Amino acid sequence: MSVVRTVRLESPFQHADEVQPTLSPDRIRCARETAGLSKVQLAESLGVTTRTIANYEEDGAPSSKGYALAEVLGVRPSFFSVLPDEPPIEDLSSEQVWFRSLRKSTVKQRKSAVGHGRNALLFFRWITDHFKLPEDDLPIEDGISATPVECAMVLRGDWGFGENPLPSLLSLAESHGIRVFSMPDVGREVDAFSFVFDNVPYIAVDMSKTPERRRFDIAHEIGHLVMHATSLTESERRLRDVEKEAHEFAANLLMPERRFKSVVPAHASLDQILSAKRYFGVAAMAVAYRAHALGRLTDWEYRSVCSALSARGYRSGEPKGIKPETSQVFEFIVRSNRDKGISTNTIAEETGLSSKELHGLSFGNLMAVTGGNNSVSVDGNEFARPQLKLHVNKRMTN
Protein backbone atom coordinates (compact mmCIF):
# COMPACT_ATOMS: atom_id res chain seq x y z
CA MET A 1 0.00 0.00 0.00
CA SER A 2 1.53 3.25 -1.06
CA VAL A 3 1.01 6.48 0.78
CA VAL A 4 0.58 9.71 -1.17
CA ARG A 5 1.50 12.88 0.63
CA THR A 6 -0.53 15.88 -0.36
CA VAL A 7 1.16 19.28 -0.22
CA ARG A 8 -0.96 22.41 -0.43
CA LEU A 9 0.76 25.23 -2.26
CA GLU A 10 -0.22 28.82 -1.51
CA SER A 11 -1.76 30.64 -4.45
CA PRO A 12 0.14 33.75 -5.58
CA PHE A 13 -3.27 35.46 -5.89
CA GLN A 14 -5.27 36.79 -2.96
CA HIS A 15 -8.58 35.17 -2.22
CA ALA A 16 -11.62 37.33 -2.79
CA ASP A 17 -12.39 37.52 0.92
CA GLU A 18 -8.84 38.68 1.62
CA VAL A 19 -9.02 41.58 -0.84
CA GLN A 20 -10.49 44.34 1.31
CA PRO A 21 -9.78 47.82 -0.05
CA THR A 22 -9.95 50.43 2.67
CA LEU A 23 -11.34 53.93 2.71
CA SER A 24 -8.98 56.76 3.63
CA PRO A 25 -8.77 57.14 7.43
CA ASP A 26 -7.92 60.83 7.13
CA ARG A 27 -10.94 61.48 4.91
CA ILE A 28 -13.22 59.70 7.40
CA ARG A 29 -11.95 61.92 10.20
CA CYS A 30 -12.24 65.05 8.06
CA ALA A 31 -15.83 64.24 7.09
CA ARG A 32 -16.77 63.52 10.70
CA GLU A 33 -15.31 66.81 11.94
CA THR A 34 -17.03 68.74 9.16
CA ALA A 35 -20.35 67.16 10.09
CA GLY A 36 -19.78 68.24 13.70
CA LEU A 37 -20.03 64.69 15.06
CA SER A 38 -18.00 63.06 17.80
CA LYS A 39 -16.75 59.48 17.43
CA VAL A 40 -19.45 58.37 19.83
CA GLN A 41 -22.19 60.05 17.79
CA LEU A 42 -20.90 58.58 14.51
CA ALA A 43 -20.70 55.13 16.10
CA GLU A 44 -24.32 55.40 17.28
CA SER A 45 -25.47 56.47 13.82
CA LEU A 46 -23.73 53.50 12.18
CA GLY A 47 -24.64 50.98 14.90
CA VAL A 48 -21.00 50.15 15.71
CA THR A 49 -18.70 50.69 18.67
CA THR A 50 -16.62 53.78 19.30
CA ARG A 51 -13.54 51.59 19.03
CA THR A 52 -14.60 50.66 15.49
CA ILE A 53 -14.75 54.35 14.52
CA ALA A 54 -11.32 54.88 16.08
CA ASN A 55 -10.02 52.00 13.96
CA TYR A 56 -11.61 53.53 10.86
CA GLU A 57 -9.77 56.80 11.52
CA GLU A 58 -6.48 55.04 12.24
CA ASP A 59 -6.37 52.28 9.64
CA GLY A 60 -9.25 53.02 7.26
CA ALA A 61 -12.64 51.38 6.81
CA PRO A 62 -13.66 48.54 4.49
CA SER A 63 -14.92 49.81 1.14
CA SER A 64 -18.25 48.16 1.87
CA LYS A 65 -18.83 50.82 4.55
CA GLY A 66 -18.50 53.70 2.09
CA TYR A 67 -22.21 54.23 1.43
CA ALA A 68 -23.17 54.07 5.11
CA LEU A 69 -20.45 56.54 6.07
CA ALA A 70 -21.34 58.86 3.19
CA GLU A 71 -25.02 58.91 4.14
CA VAL A 72 -24.34 59.82 7.76
CA LEU A 73 -21.55 62.32 7.04
CA GLY A 74 -23.19 64.12 4.13
CA VAL A 75 -20.65 63.35 1.40
CA ARG A 76 -20.44 61.09 -1.65
CA PRO A 77 -18.83 57.63 -1.26
CA SER A 78 -16.11 58.80 -3.65
CA PHE A 79 -15.01 61.34 -1.01
CA PHE A 80 -13.23 58.54 0.87
CA SER A 81 -11.10 57.52 -2.13
CA VAL A 82 -8.08 59.79 -2.57
CA LEU A 83 -6.55 60.36 -5.99
CA PRO A 84 -2.78 60.86 -6.26
CA ASP A 85 -3.03 64.42 -7.58
CA GLU A 86 -5.53 65.66 -5.00
CA PRO A 87 -4.49 68.17 -2.33
CA PRO A 88 -3.75 66.65 1.09
CA ILE A 89 -6.73 68.35 2.68
CA GLU A 90 -6.05 66.73 6.05
CA ASP A 91 -2.95 68.94 6.28
CA LEU A 92 -5.17 71.98 6.85
CA SER A 93 -5.56 72.39 10.60
CA SER A 94 -7.13 74.93 12.95
CA GLU A 95 -3.68 76.33 13.73
CA GLN A 96 -3.30 77.48 10.12
CA VAL A 97 -6.63 79.31 10.02
CA TRP A 98 -7.36 82.91 11.03
CA PHE A 99 -10.80 83.01 12.61
CA ARG A 100 -12.74 86.29 12.72
CA SER A 101 -14.48 85.36 16.01
CA LEU A 102 -12.10 82.94 17.69
CA ARG A 103 -13.27 83.58 21.25
CA LYS A 104 -16.99 83.18 20.53
CA SER A 105 -16.67 79.81 18.78
CA THR A 106 -16.16 76.37 20.28
CA VAL A 107 -13.50 73.84 19.28
CA LYS A 108 -16.21 71.74 17.64
CA GLN A 109 -17.45 74.71 15.59
CA ARG A 110 -13.93 75.61 14.49
CA LYS A 111 -13.22 72.03 13.43
CA SER A 112 -16.41 72.03 11.38
CA ALA A 113 -15.43 75.34 9.76
CA VAL A 114 -11.95 73.99 8.93
CA GLY A 115 -13.67 70.93 7.46
CA HIS A 116 -15.64 73.12 5.07
CA GLY A 117 -12.34 74.82 4.23
CA ARG A 118 -10.91 71.41 3.32
CA ASN A 119 -13.93 70.77 1.13
CA ALA A 120 -13.30 74.11 -0.55
CA LEU A 121 -9.78 72.90 -1.40
CA LEU A 122 -11.28 69.92 -3.25
CA PHE A 123 -13.80 72.14 -4.98
CA PHE A 124 -11.19 74.64 -6.12
CA ARG A 125 -8.95 71.80 -7.32
CA TRP A 126 -11.81 70.72 -9.59
CA ILE A 127 -12.24 74.33 -10.73
CA THR A 128 -8.55 74.83 -11.53
CA ASP A 129 -8.55 71.54 -13.45
CA HIS A 130 -11.21 73.01 -15.77
CA PHE A 131 -10.73 76.79 -15.58
CA LYS A 132 -7.82 79.20 -15.32
CA LEU A 133 -8.17 81.46 -12.30
CA PRO A 134 -6.22 84.72 -11.73
CA GLU A 135 -2.82 84.35 -10.12
CA ASP A 136 -2.39 85.55 -6.55
CA ASP A 137 -0.61 88.92 -6.41
CA LEU A 138 -1.07 89.87 -2.75
CA PRO A 139 2.06 91.60 -1.35
CA ILE A 140 2.19 89.09 1.50
CA GLU A 141 5.91 89.25 2.21
CA ASP A 142 5.85 93.07 2.23
CA GLY A 143 3.54 93.09 5.24
CA ILE A 144 6.03 91.65 7.72
CA SER A 145 7.26 94.94 9.22
CA ALA A 146 4.71 97.49 7.98
CA THR A 147 1.86 98.87 10.09
CA PRO A 148 -1.78 98.02 9.28
CA VAL A 149 -2.30 101.54 7.90
CA GLU A 150 0.77 101.26 5.67
CA CYS A 151 -0.23 97.79 4.45
CA ALA A 152 -3.74 98.99 3.56
CA MET A 153 -2.45 102.01 1.63
CA VAL A 154 0.16 99.92 -0.20
CA LEU A 155 -2.52 97.45 -1.26
CA ARG A 156 -4.82 100.28 -2.39
CA GLY A 157 -1.96 101.64 -4.49
CA ASP A 158 -1.19 98.22 -5.96
CA TRP A 159 -4.84 97.78 -6.89
CA GLY A 160 -4.98 101.26 -8.45
CA PHE A 161 -7.72 102.84 -6.35
CA GLY A 162 -5.82 105.52 -4.46
CA GLU A 163 -8.27 106.85 -1.89
CA ASN A 164 -11.44 106.23 -3.90
CA PRO A 165 -14.20 103.95 -2.55
CA LEU A 166 -13.63 100.32 -3.46
CA PRO A 167 -16.09 98.51 -5.76
CA SER A 168 -17.26 94.94 -5.07
CA LEU A 169 -14.64 93.65 -2.65
CA LEU A 170 -15.60 90.05 -3.38
CA SER A 171 -14.94 90.43 -7.10
CA LEU A 172 -11.83 92.50 -6.40
CA ALA A 173 -10.39 89.78 -4.18
CA GLU A 174 -11.16 87.12 -6.80
CA SER A 175 -9.52 89.16 -9.54
CA HIS A 176 -6.29 89.26 -7.51
CA GLY A 177 -6.09 85.52 -7.00
CA ILE A 178 -7.81 85.09 -3.64
CA ARG A 179 -10.09 82.06 -3.60
CA VAL A 180 -13.27 83.25 -1.87
CA PHE A 181 -16.03 80.85 -0.87
CA SER A 182 -19.12 80.92 1.33
CA MET A 183 -19.58 78.86 4.47
CA PRO A 184 -22.35 76.25 4.52
CA ASP A 185 -24.27 76.02 7.80
CA VAL A 186 -21.37 76.85 10.10
CA GLY A 187 -23.11 79.53 12.14
CA ARG A 188 -22.44 83.06 13.22
CA GLU A 189 -20.17 81.99 16.06
CA VAL A 190 -17.39 81.07 13.64
CA ASP A 191 -17.82 84.08 11.35
CA ALA A 192 -15.39 84.61 8.46
CA PHE A 193 -11.93 83.01 8.32
CA SER A 194 -8.90 82.81 6.05
CA PHE A 195 -5.86 80.63 5.42
CA VAL A 196 -3.04 80.00 2.97
CA PHE A 197 -2.72 76.51 1.50
CA ASP A 198 0.00 75.56 -0.97
CA ASN A 199 0.86 79.28 -1.31
CA VAL A 200 -2.70 80.15 -2.37
CA PRO A 201 -4.84 82.47 -0.16
CA TYR A 202 -8.43 81.54 0.74
CA ILE A 203 -11.23 83.47 2.45
CA ALA A 204 -14.48 82.01 3.79
CA VAL A 205 -17.46 84.37 4.03
CA ASP A 206 -20.42 84.14 6.40
CA MET A 207 -23.53 84.66 4.25
CA SER A 208 -25.80 85.22 7.25
CA LYS A 209 -24.41 88.75 7.65
CA THR A 210 -25.40 91.91 5.80
CA PRO A 211 -23.56 92.79 2.55
CA GLU A 212 -21.89 95.73 4.31
CA ARG A 213 -20.52 93.55 7.08
CA ARG A 214 -19.40 90.91 4.61
CA ARG A 215 -17.33 93.59 2.87
CA PHE A 216 -15.65 94.45 6.16
CA ASP A 217 -15.05 90.75 6.90
CA ILE A 218 -13.34 90.25 3.54
CA ALA A 219 -11.18 93.31 4.16
CA HIS A 220 -10.37 92.00 7.65
CA GLU A 221 -9.29 88.61 6.28
CA ILE A 222 -7.22 90.22 3.54
CA GLY A 223 -5.42 91.99 6.39
CA HIS A 224 -4.60 88.63 7.97
CA LEU A 225 -3.37 87.27 4.65
CA VAL A 226 -1.14 90.29 4.00
CA MET A 227 0.22 90.84 7.51
CA HIS A 228 0.07 87.53 9.35
CA ALA A 229 -0.38 84.46 7.17
CA THR A 230 3.28 83.71 6.46
CA SER A 231 5.25 85.99 8.76
CA LEU A 232 4.18 85.30 12.35
CA THR A 233 5.59 82.68 14.67
CA GLU A 234 3.44 81.10 17.40
CA SER A 235 5.04 83.35 20.06
CA GLU A 236 4.36 86.47 17.96
CA ARG A 237 0.73 85.43 17.59
CA ARG A 238 0.39 85.41 21.36
CA LEU A 239 2.20 88.71 21.88
CA ARG A 240 0.45 90.76 19.18
CA ASP A 241 -3.23 91.63 19.01
CA VAL A 242 -3.60 90.34 15.47
CA GLU A 243 -7.38 90.78 15.42
CA LYS A 244 -7.00 94.47 16.27
CA GLU A 245 -4.37 94.83 13.54
CA ALA A 246 -6.64 93.16 10.96
CA HIS A 247 -9.52 95.40 12.07
CA GLU A 248 -7.37 98.51 11.64
CA PHE A 249 -6.25 97.28 8.23
CA ALA A 250 -9.87 96.74 7.13
CA ALA A 251 -10.96 100.19 8.33
CA ASN A 252 -8.15 101.85 6.37
CA LEU A 253 -8.69 99.69 3.29
CA LEU A 254 -12.39 100.56 3.09
CA MET A 255 -12.30 104.05 4.61
CA PRO A 256 -8.88 105.69 4.05
CA GLU A 257 -8.29 108.48 6.54
CA ARG A 258 -7.90 111.51 4.26
CA ARG A 259 -10.91 110.65 2.11
CA PHE A 260 -12.94 109.79 5.20
CA LYS A 261 -12.22 113.16 6.79
CA SER A 262 -13.24 114.92 3.58
CA VAL A 263 -16.58 113.11 3.61
CA VAL A 264 -17.32 113.09 7.36
CA PRO A 265 -16.96 116.53 9.00
CA ALA A 266 -16.22 117.18 12.66
CA HIS A 267 -19.29 116.75 14.89
CA ALA A 268 -20.97 114.81 12.09
CA SER A 269 -24.73 114.46 12.22
CA LEU A 270 -26.61 111.19 11.94
CA ASP A 271 -27.53 111.98 8.33
CA GLN A 272 -23.88 112.61 7.49
CA ILE A 273 -22.92 109.27 9.07
CA LEU A 274 -25.54 107.51 6.95
CA SER A 275 -24.38 109.34 3.83
CA ALA A 276 -20.81 108.14 4.46
CA LYS A 277 -22.12 104.61 4.99
CA ARG A 278 -23.55 104.59 1.47
CA TYR A 279 -20.46 106.30 0.02
CA PHE A 280 -17.99 103.72 1.38
CA GLY A 281 -20.35 100.73 1.27
CA VAL A 282 -19.86 99.79 4.92
CA ALA A 283 -22.06 99.36 8.00
CA ALA A 284 -23.35 102.51 9.69
CA MET A 285 -21.86 101.40 13.01
CA ALA A 286 -18.47 100.98 11.33
CA VAL A 287 -18.66 104.58 10.06
CA ALA A 288 -19.55 105.83 13.55
CA TYR A 289 -16.65 103.88 15.09
CA ARG A 290 -14.25 105.20 12.46
CA ALA A 291 -15.49 108.78 12.96
CA HIS A 292 -14.88 108.49 16.69
CA ALA A 293 -11.43 106.93 16.20
CA LEU A 294 -10.40 109.78 13.87
CA GLY A 295 -11.72 112.51 16.14
CA ARG A 296 -14.76 113.38 14.06
CA LEU A 297 -17.05 112.54 16.97
CA THR A 298 -16.53 113.21 20.67
CA ASP A 299 -17.21 110.47 23.20
CA TRP A 300 -20.65 111.91 23.93
CA GLU A 301 -21.46 112.39 20.24
CA TYR A 302 -20.34 108.83 19.49
CA ARG A 303 -22.62 107.37 22.17
CA SER A 304 -25.51 109.51 20.92
CA VAL A 305 -25.01 108.44 17.29
CA CYS A 306 -24.77 104.75 18.27
CA SER A 307 -27.96 105.06 20.32
CA ALA A 308 -29.77 106.70 17.39
CA LEU A 309 -28.51 104.06 14.96
CA SER A 310 -29.63 101.27 17.29
CA ALA A 311 -33.09 102.81 17.50
CA ARG A 312 -33.28 102.72 13.68
CA GLY A 313 -32.24 99.06 13.50
CA TYR A 314 -28.58 99.49 12.54
CA ARG A 315 -27.26 97.51 15.50
CA SER A 316 -28.52 94.20 14.10
CA GLY A 317 -29.02 95.04 10.42
CA GLU A 318 -28.60 97.60 7.66
CA PRO A 319 -31.94 99.16 6.64
CA LYS A 320 -31.91 100.10 2.95
CA GLY A 321 -28.53 98.44 2.63
CA ILE A 322 -26.33 97.94 -0.40
CA LYS A 323 -26.88 95.24 -3.00
CA PRO A 324 -25.16 91.94 -2.12
CA GLU A 325 -21.85 91.41 -3.89
CA THR A 326 -21.72 88.39 -6.18
CA SER A 327 -18.93 85.97 -7.09
CA GLN A 328 -17.75 86.40 -10.66
CA VAL A 329 -15.88 83.08 -10.47
CA PHE A 330 -18.85 80.92 -9.54
CA GLU A 331 -21.27 82.73 -11.84
CA PHE A 332 -18.89 82.08 -14.76
CA ILE A 333 -18.55 78.42 -13.78
CA VAL A 334 -22.33 77.99 -13.73
CA ARG A 335 -22.70 79.55 -17.19
CA SER A 336 -19.86 77.52 -18.63
CA ASN A 337 -21.05 74.22 -17.13
CA ARG A 338 -24.54 74.86 -18.42
CA ASP A 339 -23.21 75.42 -21.94
CA LYS A 340 -21.16 72.21 -21.75
CA GLY A 341 -23.91 70.13 -20.16
CA ILE A 342 -21.94 69.49 -16.97
CA SER A 343 -24.28 69.12 -14.02
CA THR A 344 -23.75 69.78 -10.34
CA ASN A 345 -24.03 66.02 -9.80
CA THR A 346 -20.99 65.49 -12.01
CA ILE A 347 -18.94 67.90 -9.90
CA ALA A 348 -20.28 66.26 -6.75
CA GLU A 349 -19.19 62.79 -7.83
CA GLU A 350 -15.75 63.91 -9.02
CA THR A 351 -15.03 65.88 -5.83
CA GLY A 352 -16.80 63.52 -3.45
CA LEU A 353 -18.82 66.45 -2.09
CA SER A 354 -22.60 66.59 -1.91
CA SER A 355 -24.61 68.95 -4.12
CA LYS A 356 -25.74 70.68 -0.94
CA GLU A 357 -22.12 71.32 0.07
CA LEU A 358 -21.23 72.66 -3.37
CA HIS A 359 -24.25 74.95 -3.20
CA GLY A 360 -23.13 76.18 0.21
CA LEU A 361 -19.53 76.80 -0.85
CA SER A 362 -20.44 78.63 -4.08
CA PHE A 363 -22.60 81.46 -2.69
CA GLY A 364 -25.66 79.47 -3.70
CA ASN A 365 -24.71 79.28 -7.37
CA LEU A 366 -24.21 75.55 -7.94
CA MET A 367 -27.59 73.99 -7.39
CA ALA A 368 -29.75 72.51 -10.15
CA VAL A 369 -33.32 71.41 -9.47
CA THR A 370 -35.27 69.47 -12.07
CA GLY A 371 -38.45 71.23 -13.14
CA GLY A 372 -41.74 69.61 -14.07
CA ASN A 373 -41.40 70.61 -17.73
CA ASN A 374 -38.20 68.64 -18.29
CA SER A 375 -36.09 71.74 -17.72
CA VAL A 376 -33.40 72.64 -15.22
CA SER A 377 -33.77 75.57 -12.86
CA VAL A 378 -30.63 77.36 -11.69
CA ASP A 379 -31.09 80.26 -9.30
CA GLY A 380 -34.68 80.69 -10.42
CA ASN A 381 -33.92 80.71 -14.16
CA GLU A 382 -35.08 77.81 -16.31
CA PHE A 383 -33.03 76.34 -19.12
CA ALA A 384 -33.60 73.50 -21.55
CA ARG A 385 -32.21 70.24 -20.22
CA PRO A 386 -28.71 69.70 -21.72
CA GLN A 387 -28.12 66.59 -23.78
CA LEU A 388 -26.55 63.67 -21.99
CA LYS A 389 -22.79 63.61 -22.47
CA LEU A 390 -20.14 61.18 -21.26
CA HIS A 391 -17.99 62.77 -18.60
CA VAL A 392 -15.32 60.37 -17.33
CA ASN A 393 -15.02 60.13 -13.56
CA LYS A 394 -11.35 59.53 -12.79
CA ARG A 395 -12.22 58.08 -9.38
CA MET A 396 -14.01 55.14 -10.96
CA THR A 397 -11.31 54.19 -13.50
CA ASN A 398 -8.86 52.56 -11.06
Side-chain angles (χ1 to χ4, degrees), residues 273-286:
I273 293 294
L274 293 176
S275 176
K277 157 197 156 50
R278 292 186 289 270
Y279 180 78
F280 291 109
V282 297
M285 286 293 187

Side-chain angles (χ1 to χ4, degrees), residues 315-326:
R315 176 73 66 178
S316 57
E318 293 295 323
K320 298 181 180 179
I322 64 176
K323 184 179 179 181
E325 297 179 351
T326 58

Side-chain angles (χ1 to χ4, degrees), residues 186-259:
V186 174
R188 295 190 177 188
E189 293 80 5
V190 175
D191 219 327
F193 64 88
S194 59
F195 58 89
V196 173
F197 189 89
D198 197 20
N199 297 318
V200 177
Y202 294 82
I203 292 177
V205 178
D206 180 4
M207 294 299 290
S208 67
K209 304 176 86 170
T210 65
E212 290 87 350
R213 297 185 186 192
R214 291 203 294 266
R215 273 172 63 86
F216 199 93
D217 282 351
I218 294 175
H220 181 102
E221 297 308 324
I222 292 174
H224 279 312
L225 294 172
V226 171
M227 298 185 294
H228 308 137
T230 62
S231 59
L232 291 188
T233 63
E234 286 299 320
S235 60
E236 287 175 325
R237 282 194 184 205
R238 290 190 294 268
L239 291 174
R240 291 168 55 174
D241 190 343
V242 292
E243 288 304 308
K244 182 179 179 181
E245 291 179 4
H247 187 92
E248 186 178 358
F249 173 94
N252 281 277
L253 185 67
L254 292 170
M255 299 172 281
E257 182 174 350
R258 287 200 306 177
R259 179 58 59 88

Side-chain angles (χ1 to χ4, degrees), residues 164-180:
N164 295 315
L166 297 180
S168 168
L169 202 57
L170 172 54
S171 298
L172 194 59
E174 290 177 330
S175 69
H176 288 278
I178 303 174
R179 312 285 167 80
V180 188

Side-chain angles (χ1 to χ4, degrees), residues 28-274:
I28 296 172
R29 175 182 57 81
C30 289
R32 176 180 61 79
E33 291 179 349
T34 306
L37 298 178
S38 66
K39 292 179 183 178
V40 174
Q41 291 171 320
L42 179 56
E44 291 175 348
S45 298
L46 294 176
V48 298
T49 65
T50 305
R51 180 67 255 178
T52 298
I53 299 302
N55 290 337
Y56 286 175
E57 296 188 5
E58 290 173 8
D59 305 317
S63 58
S64 59
K65 302 297 182 182
Y67 284 96
L69 284 166
E71 184 176 2
V72 172
L73 298 178
V75 295
R76 294 293 185 97
S78 54
F79 178 84
F80 304 112
S81 302
V82 184
L83 295 175
D85 61 341
E86 286 187 335
I89 62 172
E90 67 278 359
D91 288 354
L92 180 64
S93 65
S94 298
E95 289 71 28
Q96 298 169 263
V97 175
W98 295 98
F99 286 104
R100 182 83 166 85
S101 297
L102 180 62
R103 295 174 183 174
K104 292 194 301 181
S105 58
T106 65
V107 172
K108 180 179 177 180
Q109 289 167 335
R110 292 195 292 273
K111 284 187 176 181
S112 178
V114 172
H116 289 297
R118 293 172 182 143
N119 290 347
L121 293 177
L122 292 176
F123 192 7
F124 276 104
R125 168 51 68 93
W126 186 93
I127 292 171
T128 54
D129 281 346
H130 297 80
F131 303 89
K132 183 174 178 56
L133 297 181
E135 296 290 333
D136 163 43
D137 62 2
L138 280 182
I140 291 178
E141 295 302 325
D142 298 338
I144 294 177
S145 60
T147 67
V149 177
E150 292 169 339
C151 287
M153 297 314 295
V154 166
L155 190 61
R156 274 184 154 271
D158 286 351
W159 286 358
F161 285 95
E163 295 183 351
N164 295 315
L166 297 180
S168 168
L169 202 57
L170 172 54
S171 298
L172 194 59
E174 290 177 330
S175 69
H176 288 278
I178 303 174
R179 312 285 167 80
V180 188
F181 60 95
S182 52
M183 292 189 294
D185 303 327
V186 174
R188 295 190 177 188
E189 293 80 5
V190 175
D191 219 327
F193 64 88
S194 59
F195 58 89
V196 173
F197 189 89
D198 197 20
N199 297 318
V200 177
Y202 294 82
I203 292 177
V205 178
D206 180 4
M207 294 299 290
S208 67
K209 304 176 86 170
T210 65
E212 290 87 350
R213 297 185 186 192
R214 291 203 294 266
R215 273 172 63 86
F216 199 93
D217 282 351
I218 294 175
H220 181 102
E221 297 308 324
I222 292 174
H224 279 312
L225 294 172
V226 171
M227 298 185 294
H228 308 137
T230 62
S231 59
L232 291 188
T233 63
E234 286 299 320
S235 60
E236 287 175 325
R237 282 194 184 205
R238 290 190 294 268
L239 291 174
R240 291 168 55 174
D241 190 343
V242 292
E243 288 304 308
K244 182 179 179 181
E245 291 179 4
H247 187 92
E248 186 178 358
F249 173 94
N252 281 277
L253 185 67
L254 292 170
M255 299 172 281
E257 182 174 350
R258 287 200 306 177
R259 179 58 59 88
F260 187 88
K261 287 182 175 179
S262 70
V263 173
V264 180
H267 313 294
S269 67
L270 182 62
D271 287 341
Q272 288 169 325
I273 293 294
L274 293 176

